[in-house]
Amino acid sequence: MTVLPGADAHADAHADAHADAAGHADADGHPAETGGRQRIAAYGLCRDGDGRVLLVRAAPSTHLAGQWFLPGGGLGFGEDPEDGLAREFVEETGLTVRAAALRAVLSDVSVLPSRVRVHTIRMIYRVSLFDGEPRPEVAGSTDDVRWVSSDLLATLPVADYARRALSAFA
């Protein structure tokens, strides 16, 4: 497993707004909440037989409209990351998948248009098995799904975390 540092703007389109809380450390010396929220997410790096990578595009209704990213998203409370990844893949791409291996854990902080800070911890899985034909999500946070060649990838507006994950595991 590789841990890659960095920042990115891909935060949950449905982020809850929380009031800022002041503070530096708790009684045990751990960092105190300084305003914002934390989000845990799972994403899949899926390639077809031609080496193309599967990407989804953020819908116009989101603050990331037009950006491309790896299929996946936020986990529900208590949700197993691999189950969440499979759920998100079906929602965003129509494909049934199984995570093969955890490839990286990325951490970034972004600011939503509502000015809420979001610390996202992203688990990036390699997806080796998939079934079905890609289809766009209906009335969701994404509006397109596409197998993307490395030549086309260089021309698309790809979210920072996805570009970092793809370059680390090209």
Side-chain angles (χ1 to χ4, degrees), residues 6-158:
D8 156 60
H10 180 84
D12 189 353
H14 307 290
D16 296 332
H18 291 278
D20 281 1
H24 303 287
D26 64 17
D28 296 323
H30 297 105
E33 174 65 34
T34 57
R37 67 182 292 249
Q38 192 165 55
R39 177 176 178 266
I40 310 296
Y43 296 90
L45 182 54
C46 183
R47 293 193 184 272
D48 69 3
D50 295 326
R52 298 176 301 173
V53 66
L54 190 67
L55 297 178
V56 293
R57 184 177 64 192
S61 60
T62 72
H63 69 281
L64 302 169
Q67 282 195 45
W68 291 86
F69 47 93
L70 298 172
L75 301 176
F77 181 81
E79 185 174 28
D80 179 271
E82 292 182 17
D83 292 343
L85 177 64
R87 175 185 51 76
E88 287 284 346
F89 251 83
V90 169
E91 289 173 10
E92 294 178 351
T93 72
L95 297 176
T96 302
V97 300
R98 183 180 317 164
L102 181 62
R103 298 299 306 262
V105 176
L106 308 176
S107 176
D108 55 75
V109 176
S110 60
V111 179
L112 298 176
S114 63
R115 299 179 50 147
V116 171
R117 293 182 320 139
V118 179
H119 173 215
T120 304
I121 298 170
R122 304 172 196 279
M123 292 170 274
I124 311 295
Y125 287 89
R126 182 173 50 86
V127 174
S128 62
L129 301 174
F130 60 89
D131 187 38
E133 289 296 320
R135 57 100 185 111
E137 185 175 19
V138 177
S141 61
T142 64
D143 68 353
D144 197 4
V145 58
R146 186 178 303 178
W147 291 107
V148 177
S149 68
S150 58
D151 292 341
L152 181 57
L153 184 64
T155 69
L156 294 176
V158 176

